[in-house]
Amino acid sequence: MTTTVPAAHEAAVPAPAAAGRRRWIALAVLLTASFMDLVDATIVNIAIPSIQRDTGAGFSAVQWVTAGYALAFALGLITGGRLGDIYGRKKLFLLGMGGFTLASALCGVATDPGMLVGARVLQGAMAALMVPQVLSIIHVSFPANERGKVFGMFGAVIGLGAVCGPLIGALLTEGNLLGLEWRPIFLINLPVGIIGILLGRRFLTESRSTQALRVDLIGTALATVGLLMLLYPLTQGRESGWPLWGFVSMAASPLVLALFVRYERIRARKDGSPLVELSLFSVRTFAAGAGVQLTFGVVSGLFFLVWTLHMQLGLGWGPLRAGLTGVPFSLACSTAAGMSVQKLVPRFGRAVLQAGALIMLSGALLYLWEAGHYGTALQSWQMAPAMLLMGAGMGLIVAPITDAAISEVPAEHSGSASGIFNTTGQLGMALGLGLSSVAFFGVVGGTGEPGGAAAAAGPAFVDATTHALWWISGGLVLIFGLLFLMPRRVSAPDAPERTAHAGAEAEQQPVLVS
């Protein structure tokens, strides 16, 4: 889950704060929405094999179930935040929560892969309306002296969601409640969403920014078209036999994105309200941090999909066993994330993030060796050391990276910078899921497709996993190198609240997916 921090000037924007109990009930609604969003992101991968068996979904549809959500979420994040600033954050939060609940229902009753993918895209778009309002509403509802406690609660809920999501998904999928197979992982959002909407209508306080920028619809459209021209053929190409139109589309994608950049520069000069504030990339640490975030998103998106399919389709494990095997990863990640922000980064700075990349790389290489050495006989306990290393390494990166990237950005642009930065991570995840066509499914071939050779599926998925882990390892080496462009020390003495907001945002990164 990702969100956008309100810009610095909004701290002074008054909003009628709900007093006493009302304010804390409102906080409970916001935390529930955050928990629901993160659990929904972490719950899906564990159910993918069940979805494939039940709906007859091919590999490209499986990719779009996750990539469609990530792409719609990424493309709508900044626009969703601005719509809240203009029309009211409570109004957009409730609209997004209602739409997210409806989309969850559509996912749960989907009759074919196309309907499921469409509902997931809608779900991502609605999350982009809901999620950016969470920290903005907290920011205007609680005085500065209470925000530290609030953000601590916020981080605890996010950590709990990261650990619980895969287990809830495993229990619901393997439990096969009422013979519904994987569908309860989405339908569980209905009662939660309805209760949240009812309480939100009563207890949330409306607020908006008096200095809100305009919505950049043309910029959003150009970015959407340019990215789809890259991701659609990348995801569908293998299944379609890599047709010529796919290569033409991917080659033309940079041209459309270049047009997007040119339009954003013109809009910035004209009315000062571009979708992306390109001047931020002139800050070297921010540009380097965005590169790390993009690559980290690619690595994360590819790894979690590969890991899940390896355990269930390659090794033949059930959803519950796969979910339990992911617990060491989640616990190591949460523990390392807390230590990195509170104790390690203030003392050792950039070296902590680089150590995280190397630790994660050692875990990926150990996992690669184990997958090749043990083949289909690999056991959960044998996988645990690699998962502990990868989880710990990821935690050392994901928690402090946002603050490190925006540490040299002027305080008045910190909100815009954090929104762009987190959007970059979501786009990286979508790209990583698209790349799985080449890095993973290209090795599997037609073995695991509906009607494929089921008997050969296990060894084929093991081979595909080792192939993909080389890609993941290469991405981690690139991350390690990019981190040399980050500042040795992370500090933002002119904006103490920015650190708290960035830390809370880092807790929401959509990486704990298993």
Side-chain angles (χ1 to χ4, degrees):
M1 185 175 102
T2 320
T3 191
T4 307
V5 175
H9 71 263
E10 294 182 25
V13 177
R21 184 179 299 177
R22 288 179 58 88
R23 189 174 46 176
W24 293 101
I25 294 176
L27 177 64
V29 173
L30 297 172
L31 295 182
T32 299
S34 300
F35 183 83
M36 182 171 70
D37 171 56
L38 183 64
V39 166
D40 193 79
T42 61
I43 214 172
V44 173
N45 273 8
I46 206 77
I48 280 178
S50 177
I51 292 172
Q52 189 182 30
R53 287 192 301 269
D54 186 48
T55 65
F59 287 144
S60 61
V62 163
Q63 290 170 269
W64 279 116
V65 167
T66 47
Y69 180 94
L71 185 61
F73 192 11
L75 292 171
L77 264 177
I78 298 175
T79 299
R82 288 196 183 161
L83 288 172
D85 294 341
I86 297 170
Y87 297 109
R89 294 159 185 146
K90 173 182 175 179
K91 185 181 298 181
L92 265 293
F93 174 82
L94 293 176
L95 177 62
M97 195 171 199
F100 189 89
T101 304
L102 174 61
S104 298
L106 293 175
C107 289
V109 300
T111 56
D112 57 66
M115 181 178 176
L116 178 58
V117 170
R120 283 287 286 170
V121 171
L122 177 63
Q123 202 178 32
M126 291 300 102
L129 294 181
M130 175 179 70
V131 170
Q133 319 310 328
V134 172
L135 288 186
S136 295
I137 294 174
I138 289 175
H139 187 81
V140 299
S141 298
F142 289 85
N145 64 328
E146 289 185 344
R147 288 182 200 141
K149 178 168 65 175
V150 170
F151 287 133
M153 296 169 63
F154 188 78
V157 168
I158 298 305
L160 182 64
V163 175
C164 292
L167 291 179
I168 293 173
L171 289 170
L172 291 175
T173 302
E174 192 155 298
N176 192 18
L177 301 178
L178 302 175
L180 293 175
E181 299 284 345
W182 51 273
R183 299 176 190 278
I185 70 170
F186 296 111
L187 297 176
I188 195 175
N189 288 334
L190 271 63
V192 178
I194 291 170
I195 293 171
I197 292 168
L198 294 175
L199 292 176
R201 282 174 57 87
R202 180 175 179 183
F203 293 103
L204 288 178
T205 300
E206 186 60 279
S207 66
R208 55 175 56 86
S209 172
T210 57
Q211 304 179 43
L213 299 172
R214 299 175 183 175
V215 176
D216 183 5
L217 294 178
I218 295 178
T220 301
L222 287 172
T224 301
V225 171
L227 290 167
L228 282 177
M229 289 174 66
L230 173 65
L231 288 173
Y232 184 78
L234 185 63
T235 303
Q236 295 290 137
R238 186 199 62 83
E239 192 172 281
S240 303
W242 298 109
L244 178 61
W245 64 262
F247 292 101
V248 172
S249 177
M250 287 188 284
S253 172
L255 300 178
V256 176
L257 294 176
L259 180 62
F260 164 74
V261 170
R262 180 172 177 80
Y263 174 79
E264 292 298 286
R265 287 174 175 164
I266 294 172
R267 187 175 177 97
R269 291 195 299 267
K270 184 178 179 181
D271 62 9
S273 59
L275 179 68
V276 175
E277 186 60 60
L278 296 174
S279 63
L280 291 170
F281 290 92
S282 64
V283 180
R284 193 187 75 165
T285 54
F286 180 78
V292 171
Q293 182 79 334
L294 180 69
T295 309
F296 193 76
V298 171
V299 168
S300 300
L302 180 59
F303 169 70
F304 288 117
L305 179 62
V306 168
W307 183 26
T308 300
L309 295 181
H310 175 229
M311 287 189 290
Q312 294 193 59
L313 299 183
L315 302 178
W317 298 352
L320 184 58
R321 183 176 179 183
L324 290 172
T325 302
V327 170
F329 177 97
S330 296
L331 292 177
C333 188
S334 298
T335 302
M339 291 179 60
S340 67
V341 172
Q342 296 173 16
K343 297 181 180 180
L344 299 178
V345 170
R347 182 176 180 182
F348 301 106
R350 181 184 71 193
V352 175
L353 285 84
Q354 290 179 307
L358 293 178
I359 292 171
M360 197 173 174
L361 175 62
S362 66
L365 293 175
L366 177 58
Y367 183 19
L368 192 158
W369 177 83
E370 289 178 332
H373 180 75
Y374 295 107
T376 56
L378 182 63
Q379 300 297 315
S380 297
W381 66 268
Q382 294 168 326
M383 191 183 290
M387 294 304 103
L388 286 170
L389 288 171
M390 292 200 74
M394 184 170 283
L396 293 177
I397 298 173
V398 70
I401 184 61
T402 303
D403 192 40
I406 68 173
S407 62
E408 296 182 4
V409 171
E412 63 269 20
H413 294 306
S414 62
S416 177
S418 59
I420 294 169
F421 189 76
N422 291 318
T423 296
T424 301
Q426 286 285 339
L427 290 175
M429 289 199 73
L431 182 58
L433 291 163
L435 281 173
S436 62
S437 286
V438 178
F440 183 78
F441 293 117
V443 178
V444 172
T447 300
E449 297 276 12
F461 275 95
V462 171
D463 292 341
T465 299
T466 57
H467 186 262
L469 283 168
W470 282 116
W471 284 65
I472 291 166
S473 299
L476 291 168
V477 171
L478 178 58
I479 289 171
F480 178 78
L482 287 171
L483 284 168
F484 278 104
L485 301 176
M486 303 292 290
R488 288 182 178 273
R489 297 289 175 185
V490 178
S491 61
D494 59 325
E497 283 195 8
R498 177 167 59 187
T499 301
H501 283 304
E505 277 198 328
E507 293 281 358
Q508 300 182 75
Q509 295 301 313
V511 294
L512 299 180
V513 186
S514 60

